[in-house]
Amino acid sequence: MAGLDAILVARVEVLRREIDRHDHLYHVLDSPEVTDAEYDALVRELRNHEEQHPEIVTSDSPTQRVGSEPVDGFEQVTHRRPMLSLGNAFDDDDFVAWHTRNAGLLEIDEFEMVCELKYDGLAVALTYEGGVLVRGATRGNALVGEDVTANLRTIRSIPQRLRGPNVPSVLEVRGEVYFPKSKFDAFNVQRETDGLPTYANPRNTAAGSLRQLDPKMTAQRPLDIFVYNIGFQEGGQQPESHQAALDYLADLGFRTNPNTALAPSPTRVFNYYRQWIENVESLDYDCDGVVVKINRFDYQNHLGDVGREPRWAIAYKFPAVQAVTTLNAIKFNVGRTGSINPYAELEPVIVGGVTVRNATLHNEDFIRARDLRVGDRVTVERAGEVIPQVVRAWPEQRTGNPPEFEMPDTCPSCGQPVSRIAGEAMSYCRNASCPGQLVRLVEHFVSRGAMDIEGLGVKQSELFIERGRIKDIADIYDLHRYRRELESMERMGKKKVDNLVEAIKKSKEQPLNRVLVALGIDLVGSEVAALLARHFGSIYAIQAAEPEQLAAVPGIGPKIADSVSQYLRIQGNISLVRRLDLAELQLTQEIVDVQVADRPLDGKRFVVTGRLPNFSRSQIESRIKELGGAVSGSVSKRTNYLVAGEGAGSKRADAEALEIAILGEDEFLKLAEGCGDD
Ligand code: IVH
C-alpha cells in the first residue's frame, strides 16, 4: 500500500468498523443507532475509496457482502469435527428415557439442561482465523460439506470479523441458516411474476439460496442465521457450559436465539416444549421441535457420542402435521434385499409446506390393519425429515366397493413368485438375479459411502442390467470389456464411458471397510464395517469367524453378527467375493487389534440378562467384549457365564438347568478386575 495516504487508509478502516458495528446493531441486536440514509452514506463513502484504490479492498470489507464473482461449482470442505445430527424424542416417555439413561451414565439424579428451538433450515459451519471469517461450509454428509463462503458473506448477521477482547485464534461455529417466513410469500409471488419456478417452503429456499453459484443472487435473498454451537476453538475464552458458550458467541458478535431457557428438570423441559407448541406459529422461522442439551461441558464430554449423534443432546419433535388426500394407487418397488415394498401414490397434497406425492406403506400388515383401498380418502402425516406416512383411511367416504388389498404373488420386477415367511412382516422376491433388486444393489454399491463410482446412475445400471452386462455386482468390474457396446448405448458416448471405466478402476483402491459397506449386508453401515475390517483384517477372516467371534468385537451385537455371518456363507455370495478378489478389490487390510494379554476373557461366552444395580446391560456387554469375551443373546451349552440381575427369568432357569455359572454384578466385576491383575 506504499504511496497511499495514511489518512485515507485509517479512514477506510474506521468506515469498515463503523459499518460492521451498525450491521451488528441492526441485524444481530435489532437496535439500530442510525437511519438507513446515514448508514448508506457510510457505505457509499467506503465504496468510493475502494473503487479509486482497488488494492485496498479486503475480502472481509463490508462492501464485499453484495456478492463476489460467480463460480463454476463448490469446493469440498472437510469439517474439523463431524457435524453430528441429533437423536429424536417423539413423546414425554422418549424424553424421560433419554434423561434417565444420561443420569445413569453420569451417576447423578439431576443435571441442568439448555432448551433451544430446533430451527428448520440448513446447518452451516463458519471458520474464523485471527478473528476474520475465512470459510463457510454446508453440513454436507456430516464429514464433508461444500465451501459456500462467498454466499454466507452476504448474510449481514454473520460477522466478517469477530468483536470484543476475547477473540480466539481459531474458531469454528455452527448454526442454522434460514429464510424468514414473513418474506417467503412475497418472494414466491415475485418469482412467479418473473416466470421463475417457485419454492415449496422457506427451508428449500434457504438451501437453494446458499447453493447459488452467483453470490450476487444470494445477496438478494433475505437469509438469516442463528448460531448454536462451537465446533472447534483454539485460544480465547474457554466456556465451561453450553449457556456460557452461547453468551460468549453473542459477545463475539454472532446472532444467537433469544428463546433459549435453562431447565433443571424434565418437567421444566416439558413446560418449554408445550409453550412452544402453542406459540411456534408466532416465530418468523420454521421450527419443528426443541433441542435439549446438557449444559455442563464436562458432562457432555463424559457422555460423548454414539454413532453420529451426541448422547448429551436430543431433539424433542413437535407433533407431526397432517393432511387428507386421495390414495390413487398402491405400487411396489423391490429393495436390494428383494423385499417387496408397497408405497402409496397420492393425489399431491401440501403437508406442512411440502408437497407429498408418495408415502410408504411399509408392508402387507400395515395396509390390512388400516384397510386401505385404492380410491380411499386418507390422512397423511409428515414428521420432520421422516418419510410421509399414511395414518388412516376414511372408509365412510368410500364410493363404490373397491376390492380389499392383496399383496402381489409375483415380483413386480422379474415376475417370479413372491414369498412371505411366517412371522415376518415383509414379502421377498427370492430370485437372486431379479433385475429390480440388482438395480438397488448397484445403486448402493456405487454410492458415495461405498465404492464411490461416479457415472453409474440408476438409468445406466437399468440399461446394463437389461442388456445382460450386469448380472451381479462383480460384473461391474468386467464392464470395460464392452466399451464399444456401452458407447453405442443411449445417453452414453465415448467420454462418459471413458470416465466410467476410469471411475470403476479407481474404486478398486477403496479400502476393505468400504467394500464391506458396498456389499449391502443388512445392518452393516460404515461404523460396523470399519470395526470388522480393523478387527479381522480380511473378508475371508470375517467369513471364517463364528457369529460369537464376530459379536465379540466391541460395538458389534449378536444381530449384526448373525446378519454378517449368514450373508458371507451363502454360496452365491462366496463366489461373488471370489470374483471381487479376482478383480483386485481390497479385501484385506492391516489388523488393528488389542494384544491378547489385554483379552483375559478370550474364548469365554457370556449372556447378560435382567436389571443390574449399577450398570446397564450394554455397559457390561461392552466390558466383556473389551476383555476379549463373547456375548450372545441366549443361553446354550456353550455359554460359560450368565451375568444376571433382577428379573432374570427364563435365562436364569436355562442356566441353572445347564449348570452354567451365574454371576451377579459384583461377582462379574470381581472376575473382570481379577482379570485385569493377571
Ligand atoms: S445442535 C451436536 N441445535 O438439527 C449437536 N442443532 O439433527 C448438533 N438444528 O444438523 C446440532 N436447531 O441443522 C442444534 N438449536 C439447535 C438446532 C439444531 C436446528 C439442526 C442442525 C443439525 C440438526 C441435527
Side-chain angles (χ1 to χ4, degrees), residues 343-528:
Y343 66 93
E345 271 190 3
L346 302 164
E347 192 57 32
V349 60
I350 296 181
V351 191
V354 170
T355 307
V356 173
R357 293 186 170 80
N358 299 309
T360 172
L361 293 174
H362 301 281
N363 54 51
E364 183 174 3
D365 297 346
F366 181 91
I367 302 172
R368 288 191 181 279
R370 288 159 187 76
D371 189 22
L372 303 180
R373 305 198 191 184
V374 173
D376 277 355
R377 297 290 287 167
V378 292
T379 296
V380 286
E381 176 179 288
R382 195 178 66 84
E385 303 97 71
V386 183
I387 308 169
Q389 309 278 327
V390 172
V391 191
R392 60 161 302 174
W394 297 92
E396 45 288 88
Q397 295 181 35
R398 211 170 260 165
T399 48
N401 190 15
E404 257 182 54
F405 169 75
E406 297 259 5
M407 205 57 194
D409 44 21
T410 55
C411 169
S413 173
C414 67
Q416 295 286 309
V418 159
S419 64
R420 178 173 169 186
I421 299 175
E424 273 213 34
M426 300 305 289
S427 300
Y428 288 90
C429 165
R430 307 280 175 192
N431 173 11
S433 44
C434 166
Q437 283 176 49
L438 195 50
V439 173
R440 296 276 91 84
L441 190 56
V442 173
E443 190 181 7
H444 173 78
F445 189 83
V446 303
S447 65
R448 281 242 182 119
M451 301 307 280
D452 196 7
I453 301 174
E454 232 178 276
L456 194 46
V458 171
K459 286 269 165 321
Q460 275 83 18
S461 69
E462 272 172 356
L463 214 59
F464 298 164
I465 290 167
E466 201 182 294
R467 301 282 182 96
R469 287 305 174 212
I470 299 185
K471 292 190 288 302
D472 67 28
I473 43 181
D475 287 338
I476 294 173
Y477 293 95
D478 286 338
L479 281 176
H480 63 274
R481 302 200 180 141
Y482 312 104
R483 266 173 189 269
R484 282 278 158 69
E485 186 183 333
L486 301 192
E487 281 169 18
S488 68
M489 285 186 194
E490 222 179 300
R491 272 190 287 224
M492 285 307 281
K494 180 160 182 350
K495 181 106 189 85
K496 280 201 177 161
V497 173
D498 284 351
N499 289 344
L500 175 60
V501 169
E502 193 48 41
I504 292 173
K505 194 165 149 211
K506 185 113 206 310
S507 78
K508 296 182 180 182
E509 291 164 22
Q510 295 289 1
L512 173 60
N513 55 320
R514 292 290 206 96
V515 179
L516 289 171
V517 171
L519 290 174
I521 307 169
D522 230 8
L523 307 181
V524 179
S526 58
E527 276 164 48
V528 169

Side-chain angles (χ1 to χ4, degrees), residues 219-272:
Q220 290 167 23
R221 313 257 175 114
L223 297 176
D224 214 330
I225 190 170
F226 288 120
V227 303
Y228 51 63
N229 262 10
I230 294 178
F232 180 83
Q233 184 186 345
E234 261 170 33
Q237 199 170 299
Q238 302 290 328
E240 289 183 349
S241 69
H242 181 62
Q243 183 58 56
L246 289 176
D247 293 342
Y248 180 42
L249 289 173
D251 291 344
L252 291 170
F254 292 102
R255 184 158 184 259
T256 52
N257 190 285
N259 304 310
T260 296
L262 279 173
S265 66
T267 315
R268 295 283 277 279
V269 172
F270 298 151
N271 290 344
Y272 180 89

Side-chain angles (χ1 to χ4, degrees), residues 45-62:
E45 186 188 341
L46 175 60
R47 196 169 291 131
N48 273 338
H49 293 314
E50 288 185 347
E51 267 163 22
Q52 279 168 29
H53 305 282
E55 69 277 19
I56 61 173
V57 179
T58 56
S59 61
D60 64 351
S61 172

Side-chain angles (χ1 to χ4, degrees), residues 9-21:
V9 172
R11 175 67 188 157
V12 163
E13 188 50 29
V14 167
L15 284 167
R16 287 179 183 158
R17 281 187 190 284
E18 267 303 276
I19 296 168
D20 278 347
R21 192 170 74 82

